[in-house]
Amino acid sequence: MAVNRLIYGILLVLSVLFANFYGGKIPYTLLFITLLLPLFSFLYTLVLFASFKYIQSVDGKYVLKGDKLKYRLNINNEGPLYYPYVKINFHISSTFLAGQLQEESFSLLPGEKTSFSYELECKYRGVFAIGLSSVEFEDLLGMFRLRFNIKETKEIIIYPKIVYLDLFHLRTSFLSDTHTLINSLYEDFTTISDIRRYSYGDTMKRIHWKLSAKMDELYVKTFQGTSRTVATIFLDLKRIEGPMENKVIVEDKLIEAAVAVIRYCLYNWIPVDVVYCTKDIVNLEAKAPSDFERIYKELAQIRFDQSVAITDIMELFWAGSIKKTDVFVFTADLNYDLYNQIYKIRHNGYDVNIIYISSDTLKSGINSDIASIMEFLSDIGVSVYRLEVNDDIKLALESKL
């Protein structure tokens, strides 16, 4: 491009000298043509952009982490004009693509078309923009490029991988001695709180046989719980410092671990409150396996843009006077402020579990305070799980540290 500009500059100088020394129609015609060439080339490029046609498509909007996704892009030159140079750029904010989409350059003759097809591996949970972000057109003279941003974006939602826990450490100090620890955990069989349609995962013991026979459809009984909630799960969605890819990896691990614990609780009939902060404090309540899908879809889309510290959220939430609950805190930032908050909670008699997602393997430096904080937490009776980003969640959570 710099060479083309230099050549044009030389031609312009020569045209000016030719017209100045010789005059006449031909020299001045050449001078005006030389002067008008950039304007003509610019207008030509604008026309190319206005007639630019493309179609992009993906297999679906919802994908499970680890699956592959087909992305296709078709570009057609339906007009009579020649596209001398086109460069397409893709969304680089989609960290999950990890370089799987590369910029492409090409030219198109009138009536010609070109296609691009990619099989993308969906590596991380989250909501991502996919497809064209901008198109660059180079003029006929090769002197400049015009870049146009594409307003239309396609969005895909990648659901986190579900880890199926067979065991998980749960204290039962708030349980009544008359209640068992099987599917009827934390429920009083003497009081029916609700009757609903059968959902996958419901035990046969809960089926209301008389009503099911009458309605010709399976219905199950829901019994009154012994406490309003049993597991309170705090998600620390504070912005994680560091390179974008590292942040996405840590966020993905934290949500995946939280989903595993939530599923374990619900499928063992342990009610949960999932608490986090976006613009406001959010409290998602769930009591049965049928509620898992709703929580699962919500956690697939939440963003780590929380500006409020998790300690402040816990302080505000505790003002609501929680009773009879195990506390679970999922965080990637284990610090002394959090330790002090947990110390107060333990002092009030609550059982606390910390699931800490460490990013030490992604960084050159190691925070020496983490080991001390973990030791202090263990001394006050807090169960601490430390997960590196490459650790197996099932193995880590099924074994108590």
Side-chain angles (χ1 to χ4, degrees), residues 148-212:
F148 300 93
N149 293 324
I150 303 296
K151 294 182 179 180
E152 175 199 1
T153 59
K154 289 190 173 294
E155 210 173 56
I156 63 169
I157 299 173
I158 303 178
Y159 289 123
K161 179 182 176 182
I162 300 177
V163 178
Y164 299 90
L165 300 179
D166 297 318
L167 298 169
F168 186 64
H169 176 73
L170 279 174
R171 292 185 174 90
T172 57
S173 57
F174 291 123
L175 285 179
S176 167
D177 292 335
T178 61
H179 299 140
T180 63
L181 298 180
I182 313 178
N183 285 345
S184 57
L185 190 62
Y186 305 124
E187 292 187 313
D188 181 3
F189 285 122
T190 62
T191 306
I192 297 177
S193 64
D194 188 24
I195 297 176
R196 56 174 175 78
R197 286 185 175 86
Y198 175 85
S199 297
Y200 176 77
D202 289 336
T203 176
M204 299 294 287
K205 295 179 181 179
R206 296 174 178 270
I207 294 178
H208 195 304
W209 294 108
K210 290 184 179 180
L211 181 61
S212 297

Side-chain angles (χ1 to χ4, degrees), residues 171-360:
R171 292 185 174 90
T172 57
S173 57
F174 291 123
L175 285 179
S176 167
D177 292 335
T178 61
H179 299 140
T180 63
L181 298 180
I182 313 178
N183 285 345
S184 57
L185 190 62
Y186 305 124
E187 292 187 313
D188 181 3
F189 285 122
T190 62
T191 306
I192 297 177
S193 64
D194 188 24
I195 297 176
R196 56 174 175 78
R197 286 185 175 86
Y198 175 85
S199 297
Y200 176 77
D202 289 336
T203 176
M204 299 294 287
K205 295 179 181 179
R206 296 174 178 270
I207 294 178
H208 195 304
W209 294 108
K210 290 184 179 180
L211 181 61
S212 297
K214 182 178 179 180
M215 303 298 294
D216 198 24
E217 186 179 0
L218 289 177
Y219 281 81
V220 295
K221 295 175 284 188
T222 302
F223 298 100
Q224 181 67 45
T226 59
S227 62
R228 185 179 66 84
T229 184
V230 174
T232 303
I233 296 174
F234 290 96
L235 301 180
D236 186 358
L237 303 183
K238 185 179 178 181
R239 293 183 183 89
I240 298 171
E241 300 299 327
M244 177 60 73
E245 186 168 0
N246 290 359
K247 291 194 290 185
V248 172
I249 292 172
V250 174
E251 292 171 4
D252 178 75
K253 198 74 172 182
L254 190 149
I255 295 299
E256 198 170 296
V259 167
V261 172
I262 292 169
R263 185 190 181 280
Y264 178 85
C265 291
L266 292 178
Y267 275 79
N268 284 279
W269 294 93
I270 304 171
V272 299
D273 273 358
V274 182
V275 183
Y276 58 89
C277 182
T278 50
K279 294 181 180 178
D280 300 303
I281 294 181
V282 178
N283 180 16
L284 302 176
E285 295 184 357
K287 298 179 180 179
S290 57
D291 294 326
F292 173 72
E293 191 71 15
R294 171 173 55 86
I295 302 293
Y296 178 62
K297 289 181 177 179
E298 192 70 29
L299 295 187
Q301 302 182 54
I302 58 175
R303 303 178 186 273
F304 282 68
D305 55 4
Q306 172 181 303
S307 58
V308 182
I310 189 66
T311 52
D312 295 333
I313 297 170
M314 295 170 72
E315 189 75 37
L316 290 171
F317 196 78
W318 242 258
S321 184
I322 303 176
K323 297 180 180 179
K324 297 183 179 180
T325 179
D326 276 5
V327 178
F328 298 86
V329 181
F330 290 81
T331 183
D333 184 18
L334 196 57
N335 53 58
Y336 282 106
D337 289 338
L338 181 57
Y339 168 78
N340 292 332
Q341 181 64 43
I342 291 173
Y343 181 86
K344 290 192 292 184
I345 296 172
R346 281 292 295 140
H347 182 70
N348 290 328
Y350 294 99
D351 292 316
V352 183
N353 306 266
I354 300 289
I355 293 86
Y356 168 58
I357 309 301
S358 171
S359 58
D360 285 350

